[in-house]
Amino acid sequence: MPNTDLLENLMQVAPLKLIVHESAKELGDEVNKILVEQRKAINKPYSNSPAYIGYEEASYLVDHSCPRFGSGEGKGVVNDSVRGKDLYILADPCNHSLTYKVNGYINHMSPDNIYQDVKRIIAALAGKPHRITVVFPFLYESRQHKKYARESLDAAIALDELVHMGVSNIVTFDAHDPKVQNSIPLSGFDNFMPPYQFVKALIQHVDDIVIDKDHLIVISPDEGALDRAVYFAGVLGVDMGMFYKRRDYSKVVNGKNPIVAHEFLGDNISGKDVIVIDDMISSGGSMIDTAKQLKGMGAKRVFICTTFGLFTDGFDDFDSAYERGDFDKVITTNLTYHDPIARTKPYYVEASMSTYLAAIIDFLNHDAPMSAVLTPTDKIHDAIKEYNNGNHNIFND
């Protein structure tokens, strides 16, 4: 967790409040609880100052709702005063478990529905908060981040729309393409990465892993994840390799060109543990194929680390691949909704980002330098050094 001692001599921008959309309720409740506990120990000498009114609260959550009419139309309702508050709106666009009725029929909420609810909430605020920050752990429409022909540019349109509605800052994690922030060059856009949490989860659940270049290698499953793999391999002090997705550009299947083959570029991986890192698992077919090839090349174990485990085609293919021995663990964060069945899988590991997200919100509320949370490289180095020196309980806190 970032060092919250840095906040002790800083004032809050304005009283902190959270609006947690139903799509992110579990994560939001955890973040709120952590903020309540953290703030009991911060700025104690100044707690009676008028500048810290509302600093320590039993809860920072704002009562709100997004009810719908029988036709499926909806509205946003905010029941608590937010005038002059530093407001954070948290929503998970990829939560497909939510439902609503349209003319008596049950509809599952789509990313578009959840994004529209966020806009409804902002509209209901009527410009009264001191500042509005929208937290999309999975950036809405981030997979449609560039255009090749007559295509919509949805991610850029959404960001531009939010800014025009009065949003000061967007917070997200492991954006599919961070360059999408160029669509709002005069507004805030913070993109955070989860490598520290991946290392923590890996060490906690694989107690015999050896983190050095002779025993471990990081693999990018495609050219798009190369930057993530380079950074992760660098902080771990190990080598890296990558796969190149050879596609058939004469065909389009489910909106994309089908993959013909995965070509590997890298050193010999025989006998080594392998970490495959990417931003998301969608259907998972490409990731499973990559893991299978790595095992065929002699990899000792394959650990899949992705920020977002969407599992859009369910778990059957992963179950079969695990039973075949194609991979050993799937580590993904709690930043987006997971079907409860995921936690019953022997290969599934969830890396909690709740404390990290709470710290990010706390730092932003103090207008503190974000370098303490943006660059955890030194912290990862120190943890790995401790682990390699025999302290295998480094993360058991």
Side-chain angles (χ1 to χ4, degrees):
M1 183 182 116
N3 185 8
T4 52
D5 290 345
L6 298 173
L7 306 180
E8 294 216 357
N9 295 314
L10 297 175
M11 291 177 59
Q12 60 183 351
V13 171
L16 172 66
K17 286 295 180 182
L18 302 175
I19 288 183
V20 177
H21 186 264
E22 187 182 3
S23 60
K25 187 177 186 310
E26 183 177 347
L27 175 63
D29 286 347
E30 289 180 7
V31 168
N32 177 57
K33 182 179 179 181
I34 292 166
L35 282 168
V36 169
E37 293 301 317
Q38 279 181 180
R39 292 205 161 189
K40 290 179 180 177
I42 296 177
N43 290 309
K44 286 273 188 178
Y46 313 104
S47 59
N48 295 323
S49 166
Y52 286 92
I53 292 175
Y55 193 82
E56 290 186 28
E57 297 281 357
S59 173
Y60 297 98
L61 298 177
V62 173
D63 184 27
H64 74 286
S65 61
C66 291
R68 288 183 179 269
F69 302 99
S71 60
E73 299 166 288
K75 63 179 177 180
V77 181
V78 177
N79 299 311
D80 295 336
S81 173
V82 292
R83 186 181 295 274
K85 310 300 184 184
D86 187 21
L87 183 67
Y88 295 79
I89 302 173
L90 172 63
D92 174 13
C94 289
N95 188 337
H96 61 274
S97 69
L98 306 179
T99 60
Y100 64 96
K101 285 187 176 182
V102 180
N103 289 61
Y105 294 96
I106 299 296
N107 261 17
H108 279 264
M109 291 188 73
S110 70
D112 292 340
N113 295 139
I114 294 170
Y115 172 62
Q116 194 67 27
D117 274 357
V118 170
K119 291 197 297 179
R120 290 182 176 114
I121 291 167
I122 295 171
L125 298 172
K128 297 302 189 293
H130 174 78
R131 185 172 67 179
I132 301 173
T133 297
V134 169
V135 183
F136 278 142
F138 182 98
L139 185 62
Y140 170 72
E141 285 291 354
S142 59
R143 299 176 76 180
Q144 185 53 23
H145 58 99
K146 56 187 175 183
K147 59 193 299 184
Y148 295 99
R150 294 185 184 91
E151 298 177 340
S152 59
L153 200 55
D154 292 38
I157 290 171
L159 293 177
D160 186 63
E161 192 172 28
L162 290 173
V163 167
H164 277 85
M165 293 186 74
V167 174
S168 301
N169 194 40
I170 309 292
V171 172
T172 193
F173 289 82
D174 202 353
H176 195 62
D177 185 351
K179 292 192 293 293
V180 73
Q181 66 185 287
N182 293 337
S183 62
I184 50 169
L186 300 181
S187 299
F189 184 96
D190 290 311
N191 180 42
F192 298 92
M193 304 295 287
Y196 179 77
Q197 286 74 19
F198 284 156
V199 173
K200 178 177 179 178
L202 194 61
I203 288 175
Q204 285 180 328
H205 291 86
V206 187
D207 56 9
D208 63 341
I209 191 169
V210 179
I211 304 177
D212 62 37
K213 64 180 181 180
D214 296 321
H215 299 87
L216 184 67
I217 187 170
V218 175
I219 299 295
S220 169
D222 56 38
E223 58 275 21
L226 188 58
D227 288 346
R228 297 178 185 88
V230 168
Y231 173 74
F232 202 40
V235 296
L236 293 179
V238 302
D239 292 331
M240 66 146 294
M242 69 167 287
F243 278 90
Y244 167 69
K245 288 181 180 178
R246 187 152 52 86
R247 295 180 180 272
D248 183 353
Y249 288 98
S250 66
K251 299 177 182 178
V252 176
V253 179
N254 294 328
K256 56 188 178 182
N257 304 108
I259 298 168
V260 176
H262 290 87
E263 308 289 351
F264 180 70
L265 303 173
D267 203 356
N268 181 21
I269 66 168
S270 182
K272 293 184 178 181
D273 286 330
V274 177
I275 297 175
V276 184
I277 189 164
D278 206 352
D279 61 333
M280 73 176 75
I281 292 173
S282 184
S283 64
S286 177
M287 192 65 78
I288 290 172
D289 186 50
T290 297
K292 183 178 180 180
Q293 289 197 49
L294 289 168
K295 278 295 183 79
M297 294 161 61
K300 179 182 176 184
R301 291 177 294 191
V302 175
F303 306 112
I304 298 170
C305 293
T306 64
T307 308
F308 306 105
L310 304 182
F311 301 103
T312 57
D313 286 356
F315 296 92
D316 290 346
D317 290 344
F318 279 89
D319 292 344
S320 298
Y322 179 71
E323 290 171 5
R324 292 194 304 267
D326 291 342
F327 70 91
D328 296 85
K329 294 289 182 185
V330 172
I331 301 173
T332 188
T333 72
N334 66 331
L335 289 173
T336 193
Y337 170 79
H338 295 141
D339 189 315
I341 197 173
R343 295 185 174 98
T344 69
K345 303 297 181 182
Y347 52 79
Y348 176 84
V349 175
E350 190 169 88
S352 176
M353 300 287 287
S354 304
T355 301
Y356 190 26
L357 179 53
I360 289 168
I361 291 173
D362 222 356
F363 271 64
L364 288 172
N365 179 243
H366 288 80
D367 267 354
M370 297 308 292
S371 57
V373 287
L374 272 171
T375 318
T377 305
D378 291 340
K379 189 172 183 178
I380 297 173
H381 283 158
D382 292 343
I384 292 172
K385 184 177 179 180
E386 284 281 315
Y387 176 78
N388 287 337
N389 286 336
N391 182 8
H392 288 195
N393 296 317
I394 181 67
F395 289 118
N396 292 340
D397 48 18

